[in-house]
Amino acid sequence: MEELTYRDAVARGIAQEMARDERVVFLGEDVALAGGVFKATGGLLERFGPKRVRDTPIAEQAILGAAMGAAMTGLRPIAEIMFSDFLAVCWDIVANEMAKMRYMSNGQVTMPVVIRTANGAGARFGAQHSQSVENWAMMIPGLKVVAPATPADVIGLLAAAVRDPDPVLFFEHKSLYGTKGHVPVGELVDELGKAKVLRQGNDVTLVALAAMVPRALAAAERLASEHGVSATVVDVRSLVPLDTATLLREIAHTGRLVTIEENPRLCGWGAEIVSIAAHEIFYSLDGPALRITTPHLPLPSADNLEDAVLPTVNRIVKEIVETFD
Amino acid sequence: MEELTYRDAVARGIAQEMARDERVVFLGEDVALAGGVFKATGGLLERFGPKRVRDTPIAEQAILGAAMGAAMTGLRPIAEIMFSDFLAVCWDIVANEMAKMRYMSNGQVTMPVVIRTANGAGARFGAQHSQSVENWAMMIPGLKVVAPATPADVIGLLAAAVRDPDPVLFFEHKSLYGTKGHVPVGELVDELGKAKVLRQGNDVTLVALAAMVPRALAAAERLASEHGVSATVVDVRSLVPLDTATLLREIAHTGRLVTIEENPRLCGWGAEIVSIAAHEIFYSLDGPALRITTPHLPLPSADNLEDAVLPTVNRIVKEIVETFD
Amino acid sequence: MSQTGASQAAQDCEPDRATRLQLYRKMLDVRLVEKRAYDLFMQNLIKGTSHLALGQEAIAAAFGVAMRKDDYSFCTYRGHAHTLVRGASMVGVLGELMGRECGLMAGKGGSMHLTSAEHGALGSYAIVGAHLPIAAGAAWSAQYRGTQQVAVCFFGDGTTNIGAFHEALNFAAVWKLPVVFVCENNLYMEYTPIGTVTAVQHPAADRAAAYALESIIVDGNDVDAVYAVAMRALARARAGEGPSLIEAKTYRHSGHSRADPGKYRPTPEIEAWMKRDPLPMYRQRLVSLSIPEAELAAIENDVRAQVDAATEAARNSRPPPVELAFTQLWADGGFAWRN
Amino acid sequence: MSQTGASQAAQDCEPDRATRLQLYRKMLDVRLVEKRAYDLFMQNLIKGTSHLALGQEAIAAAFGVAMRKDDYSFCTYRGHAHTLVRGASMVGVLGELMGRECGLMAGKGGSMHLTSAEHGALGSYAIVGAHLPIAAGAAWSAQYRGTQQVAVCFFGDGTTNIGAFHEALNFAAVWKLPVVFVCENNLYMEYTPIGTVTAVQHPAADRAAAYALESIIVDGNDVDAVYAVAMRALARARAGEGPSLIEAKTYRHSGHSRADPGKYRPTPEIEAWMKRDPLPMYRQRLVSLSIPEAELAAIENDVRAQVDAATEAARNSRPPPVELAFTQLWADGGFAWRN
Ligand SMILES: Cc1ncc(C[n+]2csc(CCOP(=O)(O)OP(=O)(O)O)c2C)c(N)n1
Ligand SMILES: Cc1ncc(C[n+]2csc(CCOP(=O)(O)OP(=O)(O)O)c2C)c(N)n1
Ligand SMILES: [Mg+2]
Ligand SMILES: [Mg+2]
């Protein structure tokens, strides 16, 4: 075991896979010489050389197009889109090309590509650099979608993503880069499509993702100590494939579902989970489902305003307690 | 009253607004001289001239960027994106620029722009020309989202969209262009954010949009005549603003909710409606909520395959009857 | 027609007799399959839409002959030609158009998405511009693996005004990728003349300098001329000298797609171009080069017979089983998004 | 530095004395506000990120003086300069950076999105390339309304490789829109030198021909020279002759953003450019043109006092009330998505 930041885990995960498999290449803006604008990819150029670790022009369609073409012809590229908001400028390659190619060709083409991107708010970057857009990807058939909450998950899920034969959107949370966690020594490979039960309770099941996971855990502590509410906390980790087995089991166990989403309200992944529960375990639900999200708003820049819209531990506790009353 | 096709209603709606307000301009690919690839905009160039009705290069970012810049400076543009799938190539302008500008500027800038686009499947066009992407827009705070099911709604809602001071995504359904409907003579202006109850029942509430509306109605007939199930049918019409008052009232009345979505499953608008119901009228629900969607798949091209994945009247009836058993 | 570099190249790469017959045969393959596709539409045996390459056969044919078997090609919704010339079967192509199980993708892709990976035909893309960066990616992979494969990317004149064109060209130039971008300038986008929406006269060639590339214009209806520029560009790419951008001037005989009678085009323009139909033009040249009529007729009969046989086979193929719609979203063969 | 057209224009538009003092003052406005922004960061009074224009002041200043009050401007996240020169208040700018209620957008936009619609400063855009087509749209609107307004769009060298650049340039050229595209080439994107990812030497100017535009390069550190090309481009636009694309060579004194010390840049390069700092260079020119030192010092003192006063006012402004976060999504002032 060793302590590692989420940021360093990114470079570690990429390095682990590049060392293992020569077909793994890495490209993006400022990722090589500068080591990434979040300093998450330092040392890779030095270790793997300029043939495998490449700086690109500011041209996200070219970056992802290049990754796609390479993936179709024997490489296993990892492409960085600096901020997840920028997926909008290359959305066609993601949603219409990568996601559909295998299906349209009836399996003639395989698409082992990973898109890493910095997602989420908290850095006072304003409306165009703070969005949680994991739903954009979840909506598109043909994309797998992962969002780690800990350094160990960064490495394990990144390795799983790189080894996966299908396109994976890998959402790193920019407010987690500085956080630390324990990571086992040696190769680390996880599995896509497995949620993690982080805490077991009896009254309510909190389902969270990425930066909302630590907040859900903190809220669960407060619910227990201050309100006598015993909460299960599940880290979804993988939106596609979705571990409905674990989710439905844990929701049924407590009978109450709360999703904690950083994304704005409409069509969030929480809605999907609620709709599955409302269909498949309706009779195990003991009361209203609750979705705690950022309100359906762009993100403001000023620190007090940004803090006011993101789900905080306070708000999570408050909304849950109110629903229980 | 007069009979009009959905296709002709588009041109009628645009013409009504252009005649009324000189600030309304219209641009897109092949929309002027050729009258649109769906022949939905014929006659506009002849009537309003090349200054107001303009053909563009194949450059969707330029089209929507131009519309946005014009909207910010006193015009009220209507921009056509030929197929809604192509929103992916200009998603940044839609999701990051148009949608956020007013908020970021704290109200300094107003964005009266309408994006019309042909949405949906049924024409055997394959995976890149058949998608239902109204959810892409619904997910983005700052966009209003409308999808008419009848010629009268095309005109009335288009007029409302043009007169609205905020950006509106206007999803026409390409499989409806040939359908006919009665339209009142004279100016027609509807209101955004109003669902329509098309049929009143007691056992189940079917919530549908666009091309799924006629299918929901047909399914309701069959449910009544063949299965003794009495169904309410609601046409959502406007996803943002969403008429939750009507929806919740009608769902609560029957106690059972079925959403009928053409879009693929994950994070569809139906999930949002289910999640609202599961929160706000949980105790009025008498049984599981059901979502009928296209499976989470790209659209195949062959006619029998495309028919197999879209929600058909048969499938709607079958799934509802099964849930009731 | 102004030509830069092309005539030079034509001299370097004068095709020999056997190559010329191959070029003729490939053009015929495309011509007769496309005509058949048209007929099948009229019989309502092809649904959806379809974009024919009638009149533009010389470009695909020349590249089909010039390319190495293991090269990659990328094309558009107007891609029957480019798929056939790589070696994909006529049954596979016609079957796909008809939505039959024998289709290249068993009916799942359709006319706009023909793909034959075993022949290096890595897809037909229906979003204008998207495949240019993807082709650059395949070229990057070839460069990385050191295989000397080249990626060839076909697109239309209208495509030169979209962002992906620009990104792909700059990217390919900077990384010196072995990719050949081929703009088939048929003077129209869907219904709108390219000249009315483009700042320069030659939508591709006049942009080459923006990527430090040579400006290359070729008569796209002269299969020998296209063959020559193709050989040169492919050689350049294989030699590690980077991408090329070729503008081939041509004309489509029919409308943009099935739905379009093409009435917006002036009659004199159509007539002038019909006189330059690449097939009769080339047949005449072959005859003038002393290739016996009988030899040409034999090829023609052979191709005709192949197209007839392929049509029959495709007609007799059943529609894809419905279960097929639920396969091959993922590499495991299935479409599950949950456990 | 190679210059096309610029020297010609410089002769046409030699600024008079009053104009020169205006140019100097505007550069100083920017310089001192940006320096103050830097200091406020160090004191942790500005959160988030920020991209300073230190070293690049001449370009914004020249356009600020040359533009008509009712012209439109569009800029990037590096947009404090371009917003100030249009007349936005220093309190509004510094307050926005500090997330205070007195900020131009009351803290809702932040450093990367400065907007002052009343001054025609129609936004700072943080997605590279996005604002080029938007600026074209504003120009279209001016053309449509016949107002002779011009839209000016500022962006960096790195922006020339993204798709939106290409789409906007072609679109503007074809529609002959009154828009001036100004590429501030400071040799770097974030940390990557522009030369390593661009196929041509002059990332904007060498692409002008692709849109049938004149290739214009100007010394972006010489405010008179920029003023001259600005006047010419604005006049051209107002005369209905269409867009211009100007490449102004310049250099930023600090890193890309708050987080960046800019260490990737070779010392000799930095030193050479620091010698060409637009402010001392221009001061010297003014002195050599016999403008009394005292007059310049008075301007300097005045601007310094304004910046101090603005800082004080911004510091004393309260954070925006939290309710403000829930306003102005829609034109009705609210954010409701349901009834
Ligand atoms: C991004 C995008 N915009 C618009 C379309 C609709 N569309 C399909 S083909 C076409 C014309 C393309 O013209 P060109 O590139 O000249 O190719 P051609 O059809 O002439 O071969 C258009 C506008 C599309 N498929 N994708
Ligand atoms: C589409 C997009 N890609 C990447 C970024 C991240 N980014 C912000 S600024 C920048 C560099 C821009 O360089 P340049 O255009 O030269 O402008 P400068 O910062 O030098 O003024 C990058 C890559 C972005 N904001 N948008
Ligand atoms: Mg064309
Ligand atoms: Mg720069």
Side-chain angles (χ1 to χ4, degrees):
Chain A
M1 277 289 182
E2 108 189 72
E3 269 236 318
L4 210 64
T5 60
Y6 189 97
R7 163 181 290 116
D8 291 336
V10 172
R12 165 88 70 96
I14 298 173
Q16 172 184 301
E17 294 308 296
M18 292 190 80
R20 185 185 56 80
D21 185 346
E22 258 212 5
R23 297 169 303 172
V24 179
V25 290
F26 176 45
L27 78 169
E29 294 160 13
D30 303 295
V31 299
L33 211 59
V37 303
F38 295 103
K39 302 285 167 240
T41 60
L44 295 172
L45 173 66
E46 292 71 15
R47 178 155 173 212
F48 298 103
K51 196 183 161 192
R52 298 182 66 190
V53 180
R54 305 198 61 161
D55 283 322
T56 68
I58 307 174
E60 281 78 4
Q61 292 185 78
I63 294 171
L64 294 192
M68 173 166 164
M72 289 165 72
T73 54
L75 301 190
R76 301 184 83 92
I78 306 173
E80 174 174 314
I81 296 298
M82 196 187 283
F83 286 75
S84 63
D85 314 68
F86 309 163
L87 285 169
V89 301
C90 49
W91 195 237
D92 176 60
I93 305 284
V94 180
N96 287 335
E97 316 299 340
M98 284 181 181
K100 295 178 172 49
M101 195 63 203
R102 162 175 284 275
Y103 184 84
M104 292 195 302
S105 72
N106 195 28
Q108 291 182 57
V109 168
T110 299
M111 198 71 66
V113 57
V114 176
I115 303 174
R116 291 179 43 242
T117 188
N119 198 41
R124 289 73 172 96
F125 282 167
Q128 294 185 336
H129 281 67
S130 305
Q131 293 171 85
S132 283
V133 305
E134 64 279 1
N135 302 317
W136 296 16
M138 186 176 184
M139 274 194 331
I140 307 293
L143 301 179
K144 294 179 177 173
V145 186
V146 172
T150 67
D153 276 3
V154 165
I155 302 174
L157 291 174
L158 187 58
V162 170
R163 296 177 197 199
D164 196 273
D166 296 311
V168 182
L169 275 276
F170 191 84
F171 289 97
E172 298 161 18
H173 199 290
K174 63 177 85 71
S175 83
L176 294 176
Y177 280 126
T179 61
K180 288 188 173 172
H182 287 287
V183 170
V185 185
E187 190 185 74
L188 204 58
V189 192
D190 210 315
E191 202 182 334
L192 303 184
K194 292 283 170 235
K196 240 185 206 155
V197 181
L198 300 179
R199 192 184 198 282
Q200 194 83 49
N202 293 309
D203 300 329
V204 59
T205 300
L206 313 188
V207 179
L209 187 79
M212 292 298 114
V213 172
R215 296 192 184 194
L217 284 169
E221 290 297 331
R222 291 251 315 264
L223 285 168
S225 61
E226 295 172 19
H227 302 278
V229 173
S230 148
T232 295
V233 175
V234 183
D235 177 358
V236 188
R237 296 166 86 237
S238 171
L239 292 173
V240 181
L242 187 67
D243 186 359
T244 50
T246 299
L247 289 167
L248 292 176
R249 186 187 68 223
E250 296 302 326
I251 298 163
H253 176 75
T254 63
R256 293 297 292 268
L257 165 60
V258 177
T259 63
I260 305 173
E261 300 165 74
E262 183 176 323
N263 47 268
R265 161 91 201 201
L266 294 180
C267 300
W269 55 259
E272 185 61 43
I273 292 175
V274 170
S275 80
I276 296 168
H279 183 209
E280 298 182 26
I281 55 167
F282 178 79
Y283 296 107
S284 304
L285 296 179
D286 301 330
L290 174 63
R291 290 177 60 208
I292 299 175
T293 74
T294 299
H296 206 62
L297 280 173
L299 286 154
S301 167
D303 42 9
N304 68 326
L305 299 186
E306 190 178 41
D307 289 341
V309 298
L310 295 176
T312 55
V313 175
N314 267 345
R315 197 176 120 207
I316 295 168
V317 171
K318 188 164 157 281
E319 291 199 26
I320 292 173
V321 170
E322 280 169 12
T323 315
F324 270 72
D325 283 348
Chain B
M1 279 290 182
E2 107 188 71
E3 270 237 316
L4 210 62
T5 60
Y6 188 98
R7 164 180 290 116
D8 291 338
V10 173
R12 165 89 70 97
I14 298 173
Q16 173 184 301
E17 294 308 296
M18 291 190 81
R20 183 187 56 81
D21 185 345
E22 257 210 7
R23 297 168 304 171
V24 179
V25 289
F26 176 44
L27 79 169
E29 295 160 12
D30 304 295
V31 299
L33 211 58
V37 303
F38 294 103
K39 302 285 167 239
T41 59
L44 294 172
L45 173 66
E46 292 70 17
R47 178 155 172 212
F48 298 102
K51 196 182 163 194
R52 298 183 66 191
V53 180
R54 303 197 64 161
D55 284 321
T56 69
I58 307 174
E60 280 79 4
Q61 294 185 77
I63 294 170
L64 294 192
M68 173 167 165
M72 289 165 72
T73 53
L75 302 190
R76 303 183 83 93
I78 306 173
E80 174 173 313
I81 297 297
M82 197 187 282
F83 285 75
S84 64
D85 315 67
F86 310 162
L87 285 169
V89 302
C90 48
W91 195 235
D92 177 60
I93 306 284
V94 180
N96 287 334
E97 316 300 338
M98 284 179 181
K100 296 178 171 48
M101 195 63 204
R102 162 175 284 274
Y103 184 82
M104 292 193 302
S105 72
N106 195 27
Q108 290 182 59
V109 168
T110 299
M111 198 69 67
V113 57
V114 177
I115 303 174
R116 289 180 45 241
T117 188
N119 198 40
R124 289 73 172 96
F125 283 167
Q128 294 185 336
H129 281 68
S130 306
Q131 293 171 87
S132 282
V133 305
E134 64 278 2
N135 303 317
W136 297 15
M138 187 177 185
M139 273 195 329
I140 307 293
L143 300 179
K144 294 179 175 172
V145 186
V146 172
T150 66
D153 275 3
V154 166
I155 302 175
L157 292 173
L158 187 58
V162 170
R163 297 177 196 199
D164 196 272
D166 296 310
V168 182
L169 276 277
F170 192 84
F171 290 96
E172 297 161 17
H173 200 291
K174 64 177 84 72
S175 83
L176 294 176
Y177 280 126
T179 60
K180 287 188 173 173
H182 287 287
V183 170
V185 185
E187 189 185 76
L188 204 56
V189 191
D190 211 316
E191 202 182 334
L192 303 184
K194 293 281 170 237
K196 238 185 208 156
V197 182
L198 300 178
R199 192 181 196 284
Q200 194 83 49
N202 294 310
D203 300 329
V204 59
T205 301
L206 313 188
V207 179
L209 187 78
M212 292 300 113
V213 172
R215 297 193 183 193
L217 284 169
E221 289 297 331
R222 289 251 316 263
L223 284 168
S225 62
E226 294 171 19
H227 303 277
V229 172
S230 146
T232 295
V233 175
V234 183
D235 177 358
V236 187
R237 297 167 86 236
S238 170
L239 293 173
V240 181
L242 186 67
D243 186 357
T244 50
T246 300
L247 289 167
L248 293 176
R249 185 187 71 222
E250 295 303 326
I251 298 163
H253 176 74
T254 64
R256 293 298 292 268
L257 165 59
V258 176
T259 62
I260 305 172
E261 300 165 74
E262 183 177 323
N263 47 268
R265 162 90 200 202
L266 293 180
C267 299
W269 54 259
E272 185 61 43
I273 291 176
V274 171
S275 80
I276 296 167
H279 183 210
E280 299 182 27
I281 55 167
F282 179 80
Y283 297 106
S284 304
L285 296 179
D286 301 331
L290 173 64
R291 290 177 61 209
I292 298 174
T293 74
T294 298
H296 206 61
L297 280 173
L299 286 155
S301 166
D303 43 9
N304 68 325
L305 299 185
E306 190 178 41
D307 289 341
V309 299
L310 296 175
T312 54
V313 175
N314 268 344
R315 197 175 121 209
I316 296 167
V317 171
K318 188 164 157 280
E319 291 198 26
I320 292 173
V321 171
E322 279 169 10
T323 313
F324 270 72
D325 282 347
Chain C
M1 177 165 302
S2 109
Q3 299 200 8
T4 319
S7 36
Q8 170 59 31
Q11 281 160 19
D12 303 349
C13 311
E14 186 86 15
D16 60 21
R17 188 180 195 277
T19 305
R20 282 209 156 101
L21 290 178
Q22 261 189 295
L23 290 167
Y24 185 58
R25 179 183 279 271
K26 281 220 190 276
M27 286 203 290
L28 259 183
D29 284 349
V30 175
R31 170 66 51 100
L32 296 187
V33 167
E34 293 289 59
K35 278 196 152 167
R36 182 56 47 88
Y38 184 84
D39 296 341
L40 290 167
F41 266 140
M42 290 299 132
Q43 299 164 43
N44 206 26
L45 283 166
I46 297 183
K47 315 280 168 41
T49 183
S50 200
H51 307 75
L52 305 179
L54 291 169
Q56 309 188 183
E57 297 88 347
I59 302 163
F63 273 90
V65 174
M67 286 169 76
R68 228 166 67 176
K69 252 191 153 35
D70 64 343
D71 285 340
Y72 300 120
S73 54
F74 295 81
C75 58
T76 72
Y77 50 88
R78 195 183 306 290
H80 312 164
H82 312 91
T83 310
L84 281 167
V85 300
R86 298 306 312 283
S89 77
M90 291 178 184
V91 189
V93 169
L94 288 172
E96 188 63 31
L97 269 55
M98 294 165 76
R100 302 297 167 99
E101 196 178 17
C102 71
L104 284 177
M105 303 96 85
K108 282 169 81 172
S111 160
M112 296 206 280
H113 297 295
L114 297 182
T115 303
S116 185
E118 61 168 316
H119 299 97
L122 290 186
S124 305
Y125 297 77
I127 310 278
V128 163
H131 62 312
L132 279 77
I134 300 167
W140 172 36
S141 159
Q143 182 192 62
Y144 182 86
R145 291 179 287 110
T147 59
Q148 298 211 310
Q149 292 163 288
V150 179
V152 177
C153 181
F154 302 93
F155 54 93
D157 44 283
T159 306
T160 62
N161 292 325
I162 202 164
F165 167 87
H166 179 66
E167 295 195 14
L169 265 289
N170 182 64
F171 191 89
V174 172
W175 287 24
K176 277 208 161 201
L177 298 178
V179 52
V180 180
F181 294 105
V182 184
C183 176
E184 305 188 359
N185 183 350
N186 61 11
L187 313 192
Y188 289 86
M189 296 142 55
E190 297 213 6
Y191 313 139
T192 303
I194 186 67
T196 63
V197 296
T198 311
V200 291
Q201 194 194 345
H202 306 296
D206 289 351
R207 267 88 178 245
Y211 315 104
L213 298 176
E214 186 191 351
S215 171
I216 302 174
I217 294 175
V218 64
D219 178 353
N221 282 16
D222 178 343
V223 73
D224 285 343
V226 180
Y227 178 76
V229 292
M231 289 297 284
R232 197 160 63 102
L234 291 165
R236 174 181 151 87
R238 274 191 243 289
E241 290 164 23
S244 299
L245 173 61
I246 295 167
E247 179 168 339
K249 304 281 189 187
T250 186
Y251 201 74
R252 55 172 152 75
H253 287 175
S254 39
H256 168 72
S257 69
R258 181 193 190 190
D260 170 29
K263 295 243 169 88
Y264 42 84
R265 306 184 304 177
T267 311
E269 178 184 285
I270 298 179
E271 283 170 355
W273 278 98
M274 290 307 286
K275 282 195 198 118
R276 306 198 65 258
D277 185 335
L279 273 120
M281 257 180 23
Y282 201 54
R283 195 178 200 286
Q284 232 169 0
R285 183 177 306 161
L286 295 183
V287 170
S288 78
L289 288 168
S290 312
I291 296 179
E293 282 272 1
E295 207 170 333
L296 299 176
I299 294 176
E300 288 153 10
N301 287 334
D302 186 38
V303 174
R304 212 170 289 126
Q306 280 182 42
V307 174
D308 285 341
T311 309
E312 261 322 284
R315 258 177 188 285
N316 292 332
S317 175
R318 58 174 189 171
V322 158
E323 309 79 59
L324 222 58
F326 304 90
T327 63
Q328 293 296 351
L329 181 64
W330 309 122
D332 69 8
F335 81 114
W337 51 267
R338 59 179 288 182
N339 57 9
Chain D
M1 178 166 301
S2 107
Q3 299 199 8
T4 319
S7 37
Q8 169 60 28
Q11 282 162 19
D12 302 349
C13 311
E14 186 86 15
D16 61 19
R17 189 177 195 279
T19 305
R20 283 212 156 99
L21 290 177
Q22 261 189 295
L23 289 167
Y24 185 59
R25 178 184 280 272
K26 281 220 189 274
M27 285 203 290
L28 259 183
D29 284 349
V30 175
R31 171 65 52 99
L32 296 187
V33 167
E34 291 289 58
K35 279 195 153 169
R36 182 54 50 85
Y38 184 84
D39 296 341
L40 291 167
F41 266 141
M42 290 298 131
Q43 299 164 46
N44 205 27
L45 283 166
I46 296 182
K47 314 283 169 40
T49 183
S50 199
H51 307 75
L52 305 179
L54 290 171
Q56 311 187 183
E57 296 88 348
I59 303 163
F63 273 90
V65 174
M67 286 169 75
R68 230 165 66 175
K69 251 190 155 33
D70 64 344
D71 286 339
Y72 301 120
S73 55
F74 294 81
C75 57
T76 71
Y77 50 86
R78 194 183 305 289
H80 311 164
H82 312 90
T83 310
L84 281 168
V85 300
R86 299 307 311 285
S89 77
M90 292 178 184
V91 190
V93 169
L94 287 172
E96 187 63 29
L97 269 53
M98 295 165 74
R100 302 297 167 97
E101 196 178 17
C102 71
L104 285 177
M105 303 95 86
K108 283 169 79 173
S111 161
M112 298 207 280
H113 298 294
L114 297 182
T115 303
S116 185
E118 62 169 314
H119 299 98
L122 291 186
S124 304
Y125 297 77
I127 310 278
V128 162
H131 61 312
L132 279 77
I134 301 168
W140 172 35
S141 158
Q143 182 191 61
Y144 182 87
R145 290 177 288 111
T147 59
Q148 297 211 309
Q149 291 162 289
V150 178
V152 178
C153 181
F154 302 94
F155 55 94
D157 43 283
T159 305
T160 61
N161 292 325
I162 203 164
F165 168 87
H166 180 66
E167 294 195 15
L169 266 287
N170 182 65
F171 191 90
V174 172
W175 287 23
K176 278 207 160 201
L177 298 178
V179 53
V180 180
F181 294 105
V182 184
C183 175
E184 305 189 359
N185 183 351
N186 60 12
L187 313 191
Y188 290 86
M189 294 140 57
E190 297 213 7
Y191 312 139
T192 302
I194 186 68
T196 64
V197 296
T198 310
V200 290
Q201 194 193 347
H202 306 297
D206 289 350
R207 267 88 179 246
Y211 315 104
L213 298 176
E214 186 191 350
S215 172
I216 302 174
I217 294 176
V218 66
D219 178 353
N221 283 17
D222 179 343
V223 71
D224 284 344
V226 180
Y227 178 77
V229 293
M231 289 297 284
R232 197 160 63 103
L234 291 165
R236 174 181 150 87
R238 273 190 245 288
E241 291 163 22
S244 299
L245 172 61
I246 295 167
E247 179 168 339
K249 305 280 189 188
T250 187
Y251 201 73
R252 54 172 152 75
H253 287 175
S254 38
H256 168 73
S257 69
R258 182 194 188 187
D260 170 28
K263 294 243 169 89
Y264 42 84
R265 306 184 304 176
T267 312
E269 178 184 286
I270 299 179
E271 283 170 356
W273 278 97
M274 290 308 285
K275 281 195 200 120
R276 308 198 64 257
D277 184 337
L279 272 119
M281 259 182 17
Y282 200 55
R283 194 178 201 285
Q284 233 171 356
R285 184 176 306 162
L286 295 183
V287 171
S288 78
L289 288 168
S290 313
I291 296 178
E293 282 273 1
E295 207 170 331
L296 298 176
I299 294 176
E300 288 151 12
N301 288 333
D302 187 38
V303 173
R304 212 171 287 126
Q306 280 182 43
V307 174
D308 285 340
T311 308
E312 262 321 284
R315 259 176 186 287
N316 292 331
S317 175
R318 57 172 191 172
V322 157
E323 310 78 60
L324 222 58
F326 303 90
T327 63
Q328 293 295 351
L329 182 63
W330 308 122
D332 68 9
F335 82 114
W337 51 267
R338 59 179 288 184
N339 57 9

